[in-house]
C-alpha cells in the first residue's frame, strides 16, 4: 500500500487536472486548444499554479463538482502528465502536494506547480496539456 | 518611477469612457462585473484603472495603426488587469498585451504554443510596433 502523501511532498508521477475558464481569451476555438492565460497563476499565489492530482480525485468527481457549481458549469478541463511535465521542465518547476483546507470537495487533492509566474514555463504547460473537456459558451 | 502608461492624460481617459456601443469597449466594461474568484482559483476583481488603461490603449492603437488595426479578443487577467489578444487572419501568431493598474503592462508573442517574446511594454509605440510586425497579412 502506498504511503499517504504529506504536505510539501513532491509528486513524481500521475496526472494533473487544470480548469479552463470559458473566455475566448482562455481557449482558442479554431484549434480547440487552451491559450497561455489558462496556465497563469494568480499573483497572490506567488508563482504556484493550482491543479488537482488524479490519484486523489477522479476525473469524474472533478467534472461532477464543476457541473454542480454555477461558476464552473461551463468551464473546461485539461490534463497534464506529471512525468512529462517534470521531464520538459528539467528542474525549473516542481510538482508539490499542497492540500487546501478551504476547499471541502477537492482540497485534499490540491497540488501546485512552482515557478509558473515564468511565461516560458506557462508555454511549456500549454504545449503539453491535453484537453479533456472543452469550455462551453465562451464569453 | 514612471510606469509605461503614466503619460496618459486623465482628461483623455474620461473621453474614452464615452465609447458606449463600441463592442470592444463594451467587452472591456463587462469585465468590471467579474467578482473576485472569477477564475475559480482566487483571482481578484478587475481594477477600474486597468479598464481605463485598456480603453486608452485601444484608442491609441486605432489611431496609430489606421487601416492595419484589427480588434483584439478581450478578457480578464488574473492580476486584476485586462488581457488583449490579437491573432492574424492567417498564420499562428498571437500577440497578448497584459494591461494592468500601475506598472503592469506586458507584451507576449507566441507562435503556436511557442513563446517568442515576453517583455515589459515600454510604451504604446512598443506595442504598436509589435502588432505591426506580427499581424500584417
Amino acid at each position: 500500500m502506498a504511503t499517504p502523501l504529506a504536505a510539501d511532498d513532491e509528486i513524481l508521477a500521475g496526472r494533473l487536472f487544470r480548469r479552463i475558464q470559458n473566455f475566448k481569451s482562455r481557449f482558442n476555438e479554431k484549434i480547440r486548444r487552451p491559450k497561455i492565460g489558462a496556465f497563469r497563476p494568480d499573483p497572490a499565489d506567488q508563482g504556484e499554479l493550482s491543479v488537482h492530482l488524479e490519484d486523489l480525485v477522479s476525473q469524474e468527481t472533478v467534472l461532477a463538482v464543476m457541473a454542480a457549481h454555477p461558476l464552473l458549469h461551463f468551464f473546461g478541463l485539461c490534463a497534464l502528465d506529471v512525468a512529462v511535465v517534470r521531464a520538459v521542465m528539467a528542474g525549473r518547476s516542481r510538482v508539490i502536494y499542497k492540500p487546501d483546507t478551504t476547499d471541502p470537495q477537492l482540497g485534499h487533492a490540491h497540488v501546485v506547480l512552482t515557478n509558473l509566474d515564468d511565461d516560458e514555463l506557462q508555454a511549456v504547460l500549454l504545449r503539453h496539456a491535453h484537453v479533456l473537456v472543452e469550455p462551453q459558451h465562451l464569453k | 518611477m514612471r510606469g509605461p502608461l503614466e503619460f496618459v492624460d486623465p482628461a483623455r481617459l474620461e473621453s474614452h469612457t464615452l465609447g458606449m456601443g463600441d463592442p470592444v469597449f463594451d467587452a472591456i466594461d463587462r469585465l468590471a462585473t467579474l467578482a473576485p474568484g472569477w477564475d475559480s482559483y482566487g483571482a481578484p476583481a478587475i481594477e477600474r484603472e486597468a479598464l481605463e488603461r485598456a480603453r486608452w490603449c485601444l484608442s491609441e492603437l486605432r489611431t496609430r495603426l489606421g487601416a492595419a488595426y484589427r480588434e483584439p479578443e478581450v478578457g480578464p487577467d488574473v492580476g486584476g488587469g485586462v488581457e488583449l489578444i490579437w491573432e492574424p487572419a492567417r498564420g499562428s501568431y498571437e500577440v497578448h498585451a497584459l494591461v494592468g493598474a500601475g506598472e503592469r503592462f506586458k507584451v507576449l508573442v507566441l507562435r503556436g504554443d511557442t513563446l517568442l517574446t515576453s517583455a515589459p511594454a515600454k510604451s504604446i509605440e512598443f506595442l504598436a510596433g509589435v502588432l505591426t510586425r506580427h499581424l500584417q497579412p
Side-chain angles (χ1 to χ4, degrees):
Chain A
M1 186 174 152
T3 308
L5 285 170
D8 298 325
D9 279 355
E10 185 158 10
I11 308 296
L12 305 178
R15 210 161 66 130
L16 306 170
F17 299 123
R18 171 78 183 172
R19 292 187 286 266
I20 308 168
Q21 297 82 20
N22 61 327
F23 288 97
K24 290 177 183 173
S25 60
R26 295 300 173 100
F27 190 77
N28 188 326
E29 289 177 287
K30 282 187 287 189
I31 58 171
R32 305 171 83 163
R33 298 279 302 153
K35 293 186 179 179
I36 192 168
F39 303 102
R40 192 177 295 138
D42 300 341
D45 291 335
Q46 300 179 312
E48 293 183 343
L49 185 80
S50 288
V51 291
H52 293 97
L53 180 64
E54 186 177 36
D55 285 354
L56 300 178
V57 65
S58 69
Q59 178 179 328
E60 291 71 25
T61 300
V62 172
L63 291 175
V65 168
M66 290 166 61
H69 193 295
L71 175 67
L72 311 181
H73 191 72
F74 296 123
F75 280 19
L77 190 70
C78 66
L80 294 155
D81 186 286
V82 175
V84 170
V85 167
R86 281 172 47 81
V88 294
M89 291 291 191
R92 292 175 295 171
S93 176
R94 298 169 68 217
V95 186
I96 304 293
Y97 182 50
K98 195 167 184 178
D100 176 5
T101 54
T102 67
D103 179 355
Q105 292 176 297
L106 302 177
H108 66 287
H110 186 249
V111 164
V112 298
L113 289 111
T114 63
N115 284 337
L116 260 294
D117 44 4
D118 182 330
D119 303 309
E120 198 178 328
L121 301 190
Q122 294 164 17
V124 170
L125 296 189
L126 173 65
R127 199 171 306 138
H128 292 281
H130 297 277
V131 176
L132 301 172
V133 176
E134 295 183 9
Q136 305 293 313
H137 302 287
L138 298 186
K139 295 183 275 192
Chain B
M1 184 175 157
R2 286 170 61 86
L5 296 180
E6 281 183 17
F7 49 86
V8 177
D9 177 351
R12 296 185 67 196
L13 279 180
E14 283 304 312
S15 71
H16 296 312
T17 64
L18 301 176
M20 300 296 209
D22 181 309
V24 178
F25 278 31
D26 288 349
I28 292 173
D29 289 343
R30 279 196 298 276
L31 299 179
T33 65
L34 294 174
W38 56 266
D39 70 339
S40 80
Y41 292 111
I46 309 305
E47 297 179 54
R48 182 176 178 275
E49 185 185 349
L51 299 173
E52 291 175 348
R53 285 171 181 251
R55 286 191 205 99
W56 181 85
C57 277
L58 290 181
S59 292
E60 286 293 315
L61 291 170
R62 284 173 176 175
T63 302
R64 288 165 191 266
L65 298 180
Y69 177 79
R70 197 171 284 115
E71 300 288 12
E73 293 286 354
V74 173
D77 177 42
V78 291
V82 178
E83 183 165 20
L84 307 170
I85 305 176
W86 289 267
E87 296 174 53
R90 287 176 294 169
S92 55
Y93 283 105
E94 280 180 17
V95 177
H96 296 236
L98 302 175
V99 184
E103 297 285 310
R104 188 168 168 83
F105 184 33
K106 186 175 185 180
V107 173
L108 308 176
V109 180
L110 293 102
R111 186 168 55 205
D113 50 19
T114 300
L115 182 67
L116 301 180
T117 304
S118 167
K122 300 172 191 70
S123 63
I124 195 71
E125 289 86 356
F126 177 85
L127 176 56
V130 170
L131 289 172
T132 302
R133 280 197 300 280
H134 292 286
L135 298 185
Q136 294 299 324

